[in-house]
Amino acid sequence: MTTMTSPFLFPDTVAQADKLAIVHLRRDLQIPTILKEHDEDDEGYAEGKVVNTRFGSFPHKTLIGKSWGSQILASKVDTGSRGRRDQKSAKKQKKDNAEGPGNKRQQYEESTSETPRKKLRAEDGTPVEVAIDDTSVAKEESDAVAAQSGFVHLLAPTPENWTSSLPHRTQVVYTPDYSYVLHRLKVRPGAQIIEVGAGSGSFTHASARAVFHGYPGSEEVNGSATKRRKLGKVWSYEFHEQRHEKLQKEIEEHGLDGIVEITHRDVCENGFLVNGESPEAEAIFLDLPAPWLALPHLVRSKAAPFVSPLNPSATVHLCTFSPCIEQVQKTMSVMRQLGWVDIEMVAIAHKRFEIRRERIGIDNGSQRGLQSTPASVDEALQRLLEVEGNFKVFHENGTKVPKQKDNTNPNNRAKIIENLVEKKVYKEGKLVHRTEPEVKNHTSYLTFAILPQEWTAEDEARVCAELPIVARKGDCEVAMSSRAMRKAAAKAVREKAEAAKSRRAVAQPVISNDDTKGSKTQQRT
């Protein structure tokens, strides 16, 4: 298990060597890379380890130590010809050895030594010749020289950036889906979550950040041996062996192997126990072609020797990820048979809006004498301050900023030059918005369900003994939890009934005989 802290959980202020960084080319194009101070793979670059992009080449030494969000200029580097030259010599020697002795092999052995060698420079600058496998002399690495080909931005790794840049081995779960899933599953720090169908690891990284509540060994709270926090964990399962191995390597490189445990297994056949240990999960995410085959293993009680992978003292939330409505129907049917409740299906539609300024009559500033974009950052900042100032005046006074009258003759030479050369047409036009043409979202159906905590006869008896039972009789509510309390409750009921009877007797009018005679006399009159 690695002891490094994960950049997904504790990103440093600057990019560090041997840690993951995201090279941002444009909005939907990012490249993940593990930064290396030296070219350990011997790719033949004099500048060390290099990232090659469509905007130029970027040696790792130009990325290490830079703050996140920095703009990195491309560098002039050799595109790897030296490395290919060594490989070509090795292939030629292998071919000659296979052909047997001959003139070509003799000429090759005369022109080369027994061991392939490289010409390098020692620390004092003197040229030396060393074997390829000789590590006694360090390989010289030259400094990077800035080029004019382009630039990139350096970003800290997050689950969102990783989802946009990870190498796709399967269809991934994108941010709009997994953010909603984690919310509905009530995943929080310290939770235990089961993920089936890890695939490319998009949901794995997001759930690891959601459940993180400390690394293993940090259970103690403020050094107290009695107070211990519950550490969160992701129990991930992958059926495909090659995908499992690649994801396991990525998790170790990202410093998440203490939080994520990946198992190579078919859960539909072999269940969810890991080395005989139950995950005791409160949240489950199934990304399977047939999730109903795994549901029989997600129950609380069965005949021995079955051990439930669910938390026995908590409500369990489940989500399945299915691209076909027939799969959803069959999954729901099995859920109802196994006691899952509050079953619901959700489909998420995610769109982004692009806001831009519409420039009428300008073909992207290609006309001579017009500048359709700010010439510098200062000019763009000045324009933003101008716009913000107008908004502030409008909201405070309720009126627009009055335009200053210019009494200068518009036909003089200075005004004409200003209109033709210095006029900033990007200030004109109106703002418009439009939705993106393609929605980058995995179209699937999310099926949610809840499995309540199991309630047994022993639990019922325990609760009856510990908590008072509320009994209702008419409009009277009495609390009873023992024989003495029941007697007191019965007495209270009788007293309340007698009091009510007395109140009704007082309320009825009493009519005397004299009053009766008087009333009869009045009637005769």
Side-chain angles (χ1 to χ4, degrees), residues 51 69 72 103 115 128 150-151 185 220 239 247 340 367 375 401 433 489 497:
V51 178
I72 311 298
N103 295 331
T115 305
V128 295
F151 62 88
L185 295 182
E220 297 182 358
F239 173 74
L247 183 58
W340 293 84
Q367 285 81 358
V401 179
H433 69 275

Side-chain angles (χ1 to χ4, degrees), residues 90-150:
K91 290 181 179 178
K92 182 178 180 181
Q93 183 182 13
K94 183 177 180 181
K95 181 179 179 181
D96 292 339
N97 291 337
E99 292 177 353
N103 295 331
K104 293 184 178 180
R105 182 178 179 182
Q106 293 177 358
Q107 295 175 0
Y108 179 78
E109 290 179 348
E110 292 175 358
S111 60
T112 61
S113 60
E114 296 180 357
T115 305
R117 308 181 69 83
K118 287 184 178 181
K119 291 183 178 181
L120 302 176
R121 289 184 178 274
E123 295 180 356
D124 57 355
T126 58
V128 295
E129 206 174 74
V130 297
I132 292 179
D133 57 350
D134 188 0
T135 58
S136 59
V137 180
K139 183 173 64 173
E140 179 188 16
E141 293 184 359
S142 61
D143 296 333
V145 179
Q148 302 297 327
S149 56

Side-chain angles (χ1 to χ4, degrees), residues 98-264:
E99 292 177 353
N103 295 331
K104 293 184 178 180
R105 182 178 179 182
Q106 293 177 358
Q107 295 175 0
Y108 179 78
E109 290 179 348
E110 292 175 358
S111 60
T112 61
S113 60
E114 296 180 357
T115 305
R117 308 181 69 83
K118 287 184 178 181
K119 291 183 178 181
L120 302 176
R121 289 184 178 274
E123 295 180 356
D124 57 355
T126 58
V128 295
E129 206 174 74
V130 297
I132 292 179
D133 57 350
D134 188 0
T135 58
S136 59
V137 180
K139 183 173 64 173
E140 179 188 16
E141 293 184 359
S142 61
D143 296 333
V145 179
Q148 302 297 327
S149 56
F151 62 88
V152 295
H153 289 90
L154 188 64
L155 301 181
T158 62
E160 292 76 20
N161 290 337
W162 178 249
T163 300
S164 302
S165 60
L166 58 80
H168 284 213
R169 296 181 288 269
T170 59
Q171 180 62 268
V172 303
V173 182
Y174 287 101
T175 302
D177 288 324
Y178 71 63
S179 59
Y180 182 75
V181 169
L182 293 174
H183 168 70
R184 287 290 301 268
L185 295 182
K186 300 186 183 300
V187 178
R188 59 194 180 278
Q192 307 288 315
I193 181 172
I194 289 177
E195 177 205 13
V196 182
S200 300
S202 172
F203 187 85
T204 308
H205 287 73
S207 56
R209 181 183 60 179
V211 304
F212 177 73
H213 201 212
Y215 284 100
S218 61
E219 295 87 350
E220 297 182 358
V221 179
N222 296 329
S224 175
T226 57
K227 297 181 180 180
R228 303 177 70 85
R229 68 165 60 94
K230 183 181 178 182
L231 303 183
K233 192 169 185 178
V234 179
W235 303 81
S236 183
Y237 301 85
E238 175 56 47
F239 173 74
H240 195 271
E241 184 176 2
Q242 285 74 22
R243 290 198 294 263
H244 165 264
E245 293 175 355
K246 292 181 180 179
L247 183 58
Q248 180 68 43
K249 182 179 178 181
E250 290 176 352
I251 292 299
E252 293 176 357
E253 291 177 347
H254 301 167
L256 296 173
D257 52 342
I259 306 166
V260 180
E261 182 165 348
I262 305 175
T263 305
H264 174 227

Side-chain angles (χ1 to χ4, degrees), residues 328-386:
V328 174
Q329 292 175 345
K330 195 165 184 178
T331 302
M332 286 185 172
S333 177
V334 177
M335 284 180 175
R336 295 188 183 97
Q337 297 175 15
L338 297 176
W340 293 84
V341 297
D342 292 346
I343 303 174
E344 180 185 8
M345 188 197 74
V346 177
I348 297 178
H350 174 72
K351 288 186 178 181
R352 282 185 291 196
F353 288 83
E354 177 188 0
I355 301 176
R356 59 184 176 85
R357 185 173 294 277
E358 187 180 52
R359 305 181 181 92
I360 301 176
I362 301 174
D363 186 14
N364 295 327
S366 60
Q367 285 81 358
R368 182 176 299 177
L370 295 178
Q371 183 178 355
S372 60
T373 58
S376 63
V377 176
D378 295 335
E379 190 174 286
L381 180 60
Q382 182 180 1
R383 173 56 182 164
L384 289 176
L385 293 176
E386 179 183 347

